[in-house]
Amino acid sequence: MIYQIENEKKKMKQKDSDDFSGYLSEEALLELIGQVEREEMLRAPVHLKENVLTQIRKERSAGRKRQVFAYRAKVMIAMAAALTVLILMPAGSVEDERQTFLSKQTTAVSMEQAAEERQKSIDDKWEAYLEEQASGGVRGMIDDIGARVSRFGKRLSWDRDVE
């Protein structure tokens, strides 16, 4: 109340002064400086520091939670990819295929028949590879899972930011 009355007096003095530019005259400025030195005009809220520090802690913990979630999601995707590769891997080993190929080669009547069988095997494997690539294969499936987990993580962090 007292502050408003003093403000009104200053406005009246300012209107009475010859300078209409809107700035305080030197006398009014010196009076304002003296008043501020004698008594405080505004005080900060009592709990301002605590509130600011609390908000900073919340933001940091939310950032850490997002980082931990992203790390866990990456680990889970890597585990799923490893399990998928183990499941989809053929049951026989590479040496079994070599032995099968060698036994087929020795039973072939001529070198031409062995070459034709080998070319047919290569063509069959190439067609299977092309079919897998067309369907996206294991890598396409894993990339899709990774993209979905990333979107879910972003939505989750966005929902927490909104709260």
Side-chain angles (χ1 to χ4, degrees), residues 24-79:
L24 294 174
S25 65
E26 287 187 32
E27 296 86 22
L29 188 59
L30 289 174
E31 184 182 326
L32 179 63
I33 292 171
Q35 181 183 1
V36 170
E37 289 177 353
R38 279 181 268 136
E39 56 188 61
E40 295 180 32
M41 293 182 74
L42 294 175
R43 288 188 178 183
V46 178
H47 301 291
L48 180 66
K49 182 179 178 181
E50 292 175 19
N51 290 343
V52 169
L53 292 177
T54 304
Q55 288 295 334
I56 290 172
R57 283 188 207 112
K58 285 181 182 178
E59 289 176 12
R60 286 183 182 169
S61 67
R64 285 187 197 127
K65 285 180 183 178
R66 279 187 227 117
Q67 286 178 344
V68 169
F69 177 78
Y71 177 75
R72 287 180 182 172
K74 288 177 185 178
V75 169
M76 289 179 66
I77 290 171
M79 286 176 34

Side-chain angles (χ1 to χ4, degrees), residues 66 152-163:
R66 279 187 227 117
F152 176 73
K154 287 179 184 176
R155 280 192 223 135
L156 184 64
S157 66
W158 186 78
D159 289 342
R160 286 184 181 171
D161 290 342
V162 171
E163 292 174 3

Side-chain angles (χ1 to χ4, degrees), residues 127-142 144:
E127 287 176 16
Y129 172 77
L130 290 177
E131 288 175 4
E132 185 178 327
Q133 289 299 319
S135 67
V138 174
R139 182 170 297 277
M141 181 179 70
I142 291 171
D144 184 42

Side-chain angles (χ1 to χ4, degrees), residues 84-92:
T84 304
V85 168
L86 288 174
I87 291 170
L88 297 178
M89 213 168 137

Side-chain angles (χ1 to χ4, degrees), residues 120-134:
K120 184 180 176 191
S121 173
I122 291 171
D123 290 341
D124 290 342
K125 288 180 181 179
W126 180 251
E127 287 176 16
Y129 172 77
L130 290 177
E131 288 175 4
E132 185 178 327
Q133 289 299 319

Side-chain angles (χ1 to χ4, degrees), residues 73-131:
K74 288 177 185 178
V75 169
M76 289 179 66
I77 290 171
M79 286 176 34
L83 289 173
T84 304
V85 168
L86 288 174
I87 291 170
L88 297 178
M89 213 168 137
S93 66
V94 176
E95 292 183 15
D96 291 341
E97 289 181 21
R98 285 184 186 165
Q99 289 176 357
T100 305
F101 178 73
L102 289 175
S103 66
K104 286 182 181 178
Q105 188 176 8
T106 55
T107 58
V109 176
S110 69
M111 293 296 279
E112 291 177 3
Q113 288 178 345
E116 287 176 6
E117 287 179 12
R118 185 172 180 215
Q119 185 61 39
K120 184 180 176 191
S121 173
I122 291 171
D123 290 341
D124 290 342
K125 288 180 181 179
W126 180 251
E127 287 176 16
Y129 172 77
L130 290 177
E131 288 175 4

